[in-house]
Amino acid sequence: HGWSEALAGIKSPHVKYICPHAPVMPVSLNMNMAMPSWFDIIGLSPDSREDEAGIKKAAENVKALIDQEVKNGIPSNRIILGGFSQGGALSLYTALTTHQKLAGVVALSCWLPLQASFPQGPISGVNKEIAVLQCHGDCDPLVPLTFGSLTVEKLKSMINPANITFRTYAGMMHSSCVEEMMDIKQFIDKHLPPV
């Protein structure tokens, strides 16, 4: 709900926002206590084992949301995926694996999951020219800025580097700020102009 409120502050009248809730599940990193999570998080280092089945299942759920919007009459190339932290990771992974051509991805304080599952070099899918806005705070204690930097380098090898914008925010932790919200608004307005 916090993100839907934040997005309401930057919403253009011709844009529809859908903010799905992650299901509640036990998370390994959280001592197996249940919390909202798109997939299990086993560790917070670049070489930690990843929940491949959970990530792929979550991506299928996002693809089903895209399919539903297409059935409702919104062309997929007028859809931007976005998310914060795990939601941003899921948005990036989904955009790079879906067969639906998308308008863009807003990836906030996140990383690209299952990096090793992508072939070296450019992807061949419909989203090899996708626009990406990747944002990260330089004081993030949970998902360190290095994760964001490693992710943007990997993305530049996979999709057109000219379409990737990487913004960092001084002093920002694992959160958001007004400047970041304005950058998101500018990105959405640019890639989803009124029809």
Side-chain angles (χ1 to χ4, degrees):
H1 291 293
W3 280 103
S4 59
E5 287 169 21
L7 292 168
I10 62 164
K11 186 181 181 313
S12 297
H14 67 281
V15 177
K16 172 184 177 182
Y17 288 85
I18 299 171
C19 296
H21 290 293
V24 173
M25 64 173 68
V27 174
S28 299
L29 197 67
N30 195 29
M31 296 176 292
N32 277 333
M33 290 194 295
M35 62 183 278
S37 189
W38 290 108
F39 47 86
D40 192 17
I41 301 275
I42 297 147
L44 277 183
S45 68
D47 56 352
S48 291
R49 199 165 53 83
E50 294 181 276
D51 175 16
E52 184 171 354
I55 292 165
K56 289 179 173 175
K57 181 177 181 258
E60 289 308 312
N61 292 339
V62 174
K63 291 172 191 176
L65 285 173
I66 296 168
D67 289 340
Q68 189 56 53
E69 289 308 304
V70 170
K71 282 189 188 111
N72 291 342
I74 296 174
S76 68
N77 67 353
R78 294 275 305 163
I79 295 174
I80 291 176
L81 296 184
F84 172 77
S85 195
Q86 200 183 37
L90 178 58
S91 295
L92 279 174
Y93 181 82
T94 304
L96 296 173
T97 58
T98 186
H99 299 297
Q100 298 272 30
K101 185 166 177 54
L102 300 171
V105 182
V106 174
L108 310 176
S109 305
C110 68
W111 67 97
L112 176 62
L114 303 179
Q115 280 196 31
S117 69
F118 293 98
Q120 288 302 317
I123 60 168
S124 57
V126 293
N127 288 315
K128 61 181 177 243
E129 293 291 327
I130 195 166
V132 175
L133 173 63
Q134 191 184 335
C135 301
H136 220 108
D138 69 359
C139 292
D140 192 328
L142 235 82
V143 181
L145 179 57
T146 9
F147 283 35
S149 303
L150 290 168
T151 293
V152 81
E153 290 314 309
K154 176 71 174 173
L155 289 175
K156 284 179 178 175
S157 74
M158 298 169 67
I159 61 177
N160 185 345
N163 296 345
I164 301 171
T165 303
F166 185 48
R167 296 240 189 279
T168 58
Y169 304 90
M172 190 172 88
M173 298 180 76
H174 196 62
S175 61
S176 186
C177 65
V178 173
E179 189 187 351
E180 181 183 56
M181 293 308 292
M182 289 300 107
D183 288 340
I184 295 166
K185 177 178 176 40
Q186 192 177 16
F187 179 85
I188 293 171
D189 289 347
K190 177 182 177 184
H191 295 285
L192 295 179
V195 204

